[in-house]
Each structure stands twice: as C-alpha cells, then as structure tokens.
Amino acid sequence: MSVQVATCTVDQLISQHLIDYEAKDGTAIVCSEGQPITGMLSIPEYQRPYCWQRQQLKSLLEDIKSHRLLSSEQPYYLGSLILHQEMLSNGISRLNIIDGQQRVTTLSLIAFLLNPSLGASNSLSFDNLASQQQIKHNLKWLQEHLDELKDCIALDKLQFTLVVTQSEDDAYRFFETQNTGGVRLGGPDIIKAHHLRAVDKTFQTMFAQKWEGLGELDATISALLKGRFWQQMNARELPSYQQTKLVKDTIVKELAQDTGTSKEDISYGRIRRVQGLSGEISQQISQQGYDVRQPLNAGTNSIHYLSYFQELSHRYWENPDLPHLASYQGFVTWLKNLDGCGYLEGLYQACLLLYISQFGEDQLEVAAKKLFRVVYSRRVSNQKAVRENSISAFVKETPVLDWIALSYTPDQCCKRLDRFELRVDPSNINGNSVKKRFMDKVNNEFGLSLNDEQYEKEFAVALTRKVTGSSL
C-alpha cells in the first residue's frame, strides 16, 4: 500500500498550492518523505451530495471559537482528508476527495466569504442539484454570521492531515474504516461508493444520478437483509438496530464487500414450462426483476438490484397508489397504523418484498392478509411486549420467509401460510393494554364480531377462519 501523509492548513489547501510543483515560497505541501503532494482537488461522482446543514456549521464554529479561547496560537485540527491521487491522460495529477468533502466544501465557502479571491480559486465543482441547493443555504447562513467568522477563524490556523494514496482501492479501504466527518457515513453511503466505483467511468455520472433518485434506502435495505439472512439453509444473525456500527458493517459486508467482481448484471428468476401431449414445450417467465436472495456483482448489478426493490417498496408499501388493488392498499394503510408492532412491521415488509418479487400482484390481496395472520401472531402469542430479539427467534421456529421463497406458485405459498397454527396467550388482554387494543383493531378490520370476553378462546379461531376460509 503506497501512502503519503502530510499536514497542511486550510489556506494552503484551498489556494491550490497543491498544484504548484515548484513552489519557491515554502507554501508547497510536502509529505513525510519530503515529496510535494500535487494535484487538483476533485469530488468523485460516487460521493454522496454535500449535506452539511446549520447544525454542523454551528458545531464547527463553536468548536473553533472554544479552541481559540484556550489557545489563540495553536492550530485547530480538522481531522484527516483521504485523497486518491490520479494521473490524467494529459499528465495532470488530480486528487480525488474520498473522505472529507463535507469539511472541504464548508471551508471553501468560509474562505470565499473571508477572502473572495482565495475562495474563488478552488477547483471544486458540484453538478448535483441537492449539493447546489445546500451550498446556497449554507452560504446564506454563513453570510449572516460573517462578523463572527472574521472574529474567530484564521484560515492559516486551521489544519488538516492529508492521507494520499496512489490506489483508489487503498483510499477506499481508509474511507470504509475512518469516517471523520460531522455527518457520519451510513451503510448505504458506503455501498454507493463501492458500486459506483465499479461502474465504467463513462457511465458513473448517469448511475450516480440514478442512485440519488432512489431516496432513503434504509428501510428497503433492512427488509432485504432480513430476507437474505433469515433462512434455514444459510441462517445468519442480524445485529440489533441499537448496534449501529455492527449494522453498518453488516450492510457493507453483505451488499458491497461480498459482492462478485464480474461485470455482468444478472438477475435470477423462474420459468413456467408446459409440455404438451405431442412433446411441444411452451415457456412463460413467472418472475420479473431480481430475486431477494440472489448473489450480486459489484457495480450495475447491485445498483439495479437495490433500485428494483426500492421501487417495489415505494409502490406496494411506502406510498401505494393501486386503484386496481383497492383492498390491498386499504389493508396495508391500516396495518402501518397499528401500535406496538414496529418489529413485526419490519418482518412483514421483508415478506411482502419477497412475495411480490416472486409472484407480482398474483393473489396479492389474499396473500397480504395470510401473511399478516402469521407474522403478527407474535402480537397475541406473546405475554406482553414484542421485543426485537423475539422476531429472529420466531423466524427460526416459523420460517415464513422460506415458505415464500420455496413456493413455486401463489397457491402453494398460501397453503403453507394457512397451515400455521395461531395461538393466543391470555395475559394482558384486558383493560387498555397494547395487546388488547391490537386485538380490538383486528376484530374490527376483519369483521370478527367478537366481544372482549371471547378474545381468549375465540380470537385465533375466528381470524384463522376469516383469513383461510376454513371451517374450523
């Protein structure tokens, strides 16, 4: 791993002494080995947009002010910048900012206000509309606090450590492990960088725009991880949502580091094949798009995979607009308003994405309610609360995701769901408990016509009869 390390001030960085190969005034940035670090600062397409807001601006300003009060002569340390030095075809060196663009952009805005000629000299450009809008907002806020900036900020007293690599892969390894910015990177940000790096540079801008159009991915990624991890043949544990670093590491490993290196954009599905009496064969593709549990390749394959499931999530869960499936739409709208069911909702969304990716809208209105009876059974079979760790335990006992994944037809899937035995624990079904309120809402939604006294012995039978159509 070839790495250069150097220290520089903000005015050195922004005034582009970086590109002065023969600086005679002592302002060139020199690494620990004595070699000058040269190149034009640039932000790669795979970086997230500039997103610092007032909270981060205020925090930076307050930290610098506090430092100045303690020591007006000592520089204020802004952390490290991870840079990839890239040689262009014209012989010019470019320094791609792998980690630190939020800080560098913010300080460029401050430099522009304090010293317009200095700030205007930097080479950074922003094509992303979100970045442009945030820059306008922040520039306005900083302008309103210009006197405060002048009092506490001296650009030659703000200091960075530069970590410069000759290999993009080496820079990315630092990037994954070192997040030093004020808005820390989450798993989706890191997998974005991983996959956009794998896209041919000719198409990076197009795929970067496609990624930004996906919006917030956390819920979809959470559902996909459940679908991929909670299976009997290859069962894996998912960390608790409270273990934020482990969650991020899991996302990065599953959806970035462990993806293949092939450039092929592959999706896996099923074909329905019918053979006639005379031997003729007709085929029909029974699954479109991607499979939840399929192996992935880095680059376009993973980007299209996430895009496909994000679209399904929006269409059938987040913002359903399905007049042709009015019953389904009304049901999921009702379901998302249930109290005390957050963990169950996460499992239900995973089941839903798996079902729709496999069978589309075929029997979706029926399957949605059958899935509800199974997944939300934990709400009535538990004595009291539904805790996060009880969901993974439930899936081990009741492999509902496998029932969907291993079914060839919606009918087969529905029959497997119908065989599930619903049970009610009699604890806490009186008064105004969360469990009792849940049962009341289910009673009304499904038209079970039960009174409170019947819940203990009749609720499971009545709901099962209504959902499965059986005559228990």
Side-chain angles (χ1 to χ4, degrees):
M1 184 182 294
S2 175
V3 178
Q4 294 175 299
V5 179
T7 300
C8 75
T9 61
V10 169
D11 62 341
Q12 282 181 295
L13 189 72
I14 294 176
S15 64
Q16 292 195 48
H17 288 305
L18 284 172
I19 63 169
D20 190 349
Y21 287 79
E22 299 178 356
K24 304 299 184 183
D25 57 0
T27 56
I29 300 173
V30 179
C31 72
S32 53
E33 286 77 22
Q35 298 297 317
I37 295 176
T38 61
M40 186 81 71
L41 287 175
S42 175
I43 300 174
E45 290 289 349
Y46 55 75
Q47 283 281 22
R48 61 178 170 176
Y50 175 61
C51 63
W52 268 26
Q53 298 181 355
R54 292 183 181 184
Q55 177 183 348
Q56 285 76 38
L57 300 183
K58 289 179 181 178
S59 178
L60 176 65
L61 194 54
E62 290 300 321
D63 286 348
I64 294 173
K65 286 167 64 177
S66 298
H67 176 79
R68 285 293 299 273
L69 290 173
L70 293 173
S71 175
S72 60
E73 296 303 317
Q74 292 297 317
Y76 175 78
Y77 182 59
L78 289 158
S80 63
L81 300 181
I82 301 174
L83 307 172
H84 163 230
Q85 189 169 43
E86 179 185 15
M87 292 301 298
L88 304 180
S89 57
N90 57 8
I92 295 177
S93 175
R94 181 166 66 190
L95 289 166
N96 296 313
I97 302 174
I98 306 304
D99 186 36
Q101 71 123 329
Q102 306 292 325
R103 286 165 288 153
V104 171
T105 301
T106 300
L107 290 162
S108 296
L109 298 179
I110 292 173
F112 176 75
L113 293 174
L114 295 180
N115 185 347
S117 62
L118 174 64
S121 69
N122 83 76
S123 59
L124 298 178
S125 61
F126 301 86
D127 297 325
N128 186 281
L129 291 177
S131 295
Q132 293 172 6
Q133 289 300 315
Q134 197 58 48
I135 286 172
K136 290 178 182 177
H137 291 314
N138 288 358
L139 198 56
K140 180 181 178 182
W141 188 89
L142 291 168
Q143 179 72 56
E144 293 170 354
H145 294 78
L146 183 57
D147 290 340
E148 194 175 356
L149 294 175
K150 290 179 178 178
D151 288 342
C152 73
I153 291 183
L155 298 177
D156 63 345
K157 296 294 185 182
L158 303 179
Q159 191 175 87
F160 280 112
T161 296
L162 304 184
V163 178
V164 184
T165 73
Q166 307 303 310
S167 161
E168 189 177 32
D169 287 339
D170 290 344
Y172 179 68
R173 290 189 188 99
F174 279 105
F175 167 75
E176 279 188 333
T177 58
Q178 183 169 315
N179 281 236
T180 56
V183 179
R184 300 188 68 80
L185 293 174
D189 294 308
I190 297 177
I191 63 175
K192 170 193 173 184
H194 181 93
H195 294 303
L196 286 177
R197 285 174 55 248
V199 174
D200 187 285
K201 291 188 183 296
T202 307
F203 302 103
Q204 274 190 351
T205 298
M206 180 182 73
F207 277 94
Q209 292 171 347
K210 181 180 180 69
W211 186 285
E212 294 307 323
L214 297 180
E216 178 60 58
L217 281 167
D218 287 347
T220 298
I221 286 177
S222 177
L224 289 172
L225 289 182
K226 290 179 177 69
R228 294 173 73 89
F229 277 58
W230 288 349
Q231 51 179 305
Q232 289 191 322
M233 187 175 71
N234 185 28
R236 290 172 288 169
E237 294 293 330
L238 278 173
S240 165
Y241 80 96
Q242 297 175 320
Q243 300 170 295
T244 52
K245 186 180 185 304
L246 284 178
V247 170
K248 181 173 75 171
D249 292 345
T250 299
I251 292 171
V252 171
K253 187 174 190 304
E254 178 70 11
L255 298 176
Q257 293 173 348
D258 286 353
T259 56
T261 57
S262 170
K263 299 294 184 182
E264 291 182 308
D265 183 6
I266 301 175
S267 60
Y268 294 85
R270 293 177 180 172
I271 295 176
R272 180 176 180 269
R273 184 180 295 110
V274 179
Q275 184 167 342
L277 294 176
S278 60
E280 76 280 5
I281 295 176
S282 61
Q283 295 186 159
Q284 177 184 0
I285 297 175
S286 61
Q287 180 178 341
Q288 302 289 338
Y290 295 78
D291 189 279
V292 169
R293 293 175 172 178
Q294 73 168 72
L296 297 168
N297 291 323
T300 57
N301 185 222
S302 292
I303 294 172
H304 283 148
Y305 171 86
L306 291 169
S307 178
Y308 171 71
F309 283 105
Q310 180 76 334
E311 183 179 342
L312 290 189
S313 183
H314 277 297
R315 179 172 172 78
Y316 294 99
W317 182 254
E318 298 293 342
N319 301 295
D321 183 14
L322 306 164
H324 62 296
L325 294 172
S327 174
Y328 166 81
Q329 182 171 322
F331 180 70
V332 295
T333 300
W334 168 83
L335 186 150
K336 288 189 292 183
N337 287 317
L338 293 174
D339 297 327
C341 300
Y343 298 130
L344 295 170
E345 186 176 299
L347 174 58
Y348 186 85
Q349 185 182 359
C351 291
L352 204 59
L353 285 182
L354 188 56
Y355 182 92
I356 295 170
S357 68
Q358 231 165 264
F359 304 117
E361 296 179 355
D362 194 355
Q363 298 191 40
L364 179 57
E365 293 173 301
V366 172
K369 295 180 180 180
K370 293 181 183 293
L371 282 169
F372 170 80
R373 187 182 77 94
V374 175
V375 172
Y376 282 73
S377 65
R378 232 4 177 206
R379 180 65 274 177
V380 295
S381 64
N382 277 17
Q383 289 187 354
K384 192 174 181 181
V386 178
R387 302 190 183 280
E388 184 183 16
N389 59 3
S390 73
I391 306 303
S392 56
F394 171 73
V395 173
K396 290 176 183 177
E397 301 165 4
T398 310
V400 59
L401 289 157
D402 283 351
W403 294 349
I404 303 167
L406 298 177
S407 294
Y408 289 94
T409 66
D411 283 337
Q412 187 181 24
C413 179
C414 287
K415 287 178 180 177
R416 283 175 167 154
L417 295 172
D418 285 349
R419 286 197 289 267
F420 172 76
E421 183 179 356
L422 178 62
R423 296 180 180 179
V424 173
D425 185 289
S427 306
N428 299 300
I429 58 174
N430 297 314
N432 192 38
S433 67
V434 175
K435 186 174 181 179
K436 168 66 164 48
R437 294 199 303 273
F438 171 82
M439 297 176 81
D440 287 341
K441 290 181 178 180
V442 174
N443 188 25
N444 292 332
E445 174 68 15
F446 286 86
L448 304 184
S449 301
L450 300 176
N451 58 47
D452 294 358
E453 288 72 26
Q454 293 175 298
Y455 280 177
E456 179 181 343
K457 295 183 178 179
E458 299 295 329
F459 183 89
V461 173
L463 182 58
T464 297
R465 182 182 295 118
K466 180 68 70 170
V467 171
T468 66
S470 64
S471 55
L472 296 175

